[in-house]
């Protein structure tokens, strides 16, 4: 139960600070888009955590789902709030691993098949993302430079 509440508190804090940042200063449209995506994803995570806390109680894998939800949400927050490409890619990979494991939450044949299928797509996306970063690095692009 604690992990679900922690996830809710973190998501509401992220939402609050993203809204505050969005309305308090004037930024470029790229930052506005990232903040809007951060608000959307944190509200979605809060909603899923609220319903999962109520609907999954008593199930064997209740705690596992909560930890995976937290892992995935932290990866999402890292993607949308990072200021450089390296941390964005790290968050992308972390959230993909968490999402793949969340798909297999039921731990039955159908969820395993779905998890394997989605993990293939995440693997292709991760390889493409990390290959693009390596290519950028070899062309002397600073991966720690601020993303506009």
């Amino acid at each position: 139960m604690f992990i679900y509440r922690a996830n809710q508190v973190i998501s509401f804090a992220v939402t609050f600070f993203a809204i505050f940042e969005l309305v308090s200063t004037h930024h470029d449209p790229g930052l506005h888009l990232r903040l809007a995506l951060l608000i959307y994803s944190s509200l979605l995570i809060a909603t899923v955590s609220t319903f999962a806390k109520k609907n999954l109680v008593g199930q064997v894998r209740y705690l596992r789902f909560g930890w995976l939800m937290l892992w995935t949400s932290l990866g999402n927050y890292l993607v949308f709030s990072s200021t450089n490409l390296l941390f964005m890619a790290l968050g992308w990979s972390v959230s993909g691993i968490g999402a793949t494991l969340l798909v297999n939450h039921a731990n039955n044949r159908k969820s395993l098949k779905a998890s394997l299928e989605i993990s293939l797509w995440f693997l292709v996306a991760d390889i493409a993302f990390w290959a693009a970063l390596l290519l950028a690095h070899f062309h002397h692009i600073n991966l720690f430079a601020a993303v506009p």
Side-chain angles (χ1 to χ4, degrees):
M1 191 71 113
F2 168 76
I3 196 68
Y4 289 94
R5 289 188 185 174
N7 207 359
Q8 288 172 320
V9 167
I10 292 169
S11 64
F12 286 128
V14 167
T15 302
F16 173 76
F17 287 116
I19 290 172
F20 179 77
E21 183 70 23
L22 190 63
V23 298
S24 67
T25 56
H26 299 287
H27 299 289
D28 63 304
L31 182 60
H32 281 218
L33 177 63
R34 284 199 338 243
L35 289 172
L37 289 171
L38 187 61
I39 292 167
Y40 170 75
S41 66
S42 62
L43 288 175
L44 184 64
I45 288 165
T47 304
V48 170
S49 290
T50 301
F51 284 110
K53 181 174 68 171
K54 293 176 184 176
N55 295 333
L56 296 179
V57 134
Q59 289 189 11
V60 176
R61 298 165 73 89
Y62 177 73
L63 189 60
R64 178 182 185 269
F65 187 89
W67 280 107
L68 287 174
M69 189 69 198
L70 180 65
W71 174 268
T72 305
S73 62
L74 291 176
N76 266 344
Y77 300 149
L78 191 58
V79 168
F80 295 127
S81 64
S82 63
T83 58
N84 63 53
L85 292 173
L86 195 59
F87 284 123
M88 189 180 291
L90 181 65
W92 177 272
S93 295
V94 164
S95 64
I97 291 168
T100 300
L101 294 172
L102 278 171
V103 169
N104 191 23
H105 166 68
N107 200 26
N108 57 28
R109 188 178 189 94
K110 192 174 181 180
S111 69
L112 180 62
K113 182 180 176 189
S115 179
L116 290 174
E117 185 175 330
I118 201 165
S119 67
L120 177 66
W121 288 106
F122 276 122
L123 181 63
V124 168
D126 281 350
I127 289 171
F129 204 145
W130 286 102
L133 287 181
L134 282 173
L135 184 64
H137 176 70
F138 289 133
H139 285 284
H140 304 290
I141 294 175
N142 184 3
L143 299 180
F144 289 103
V147 175

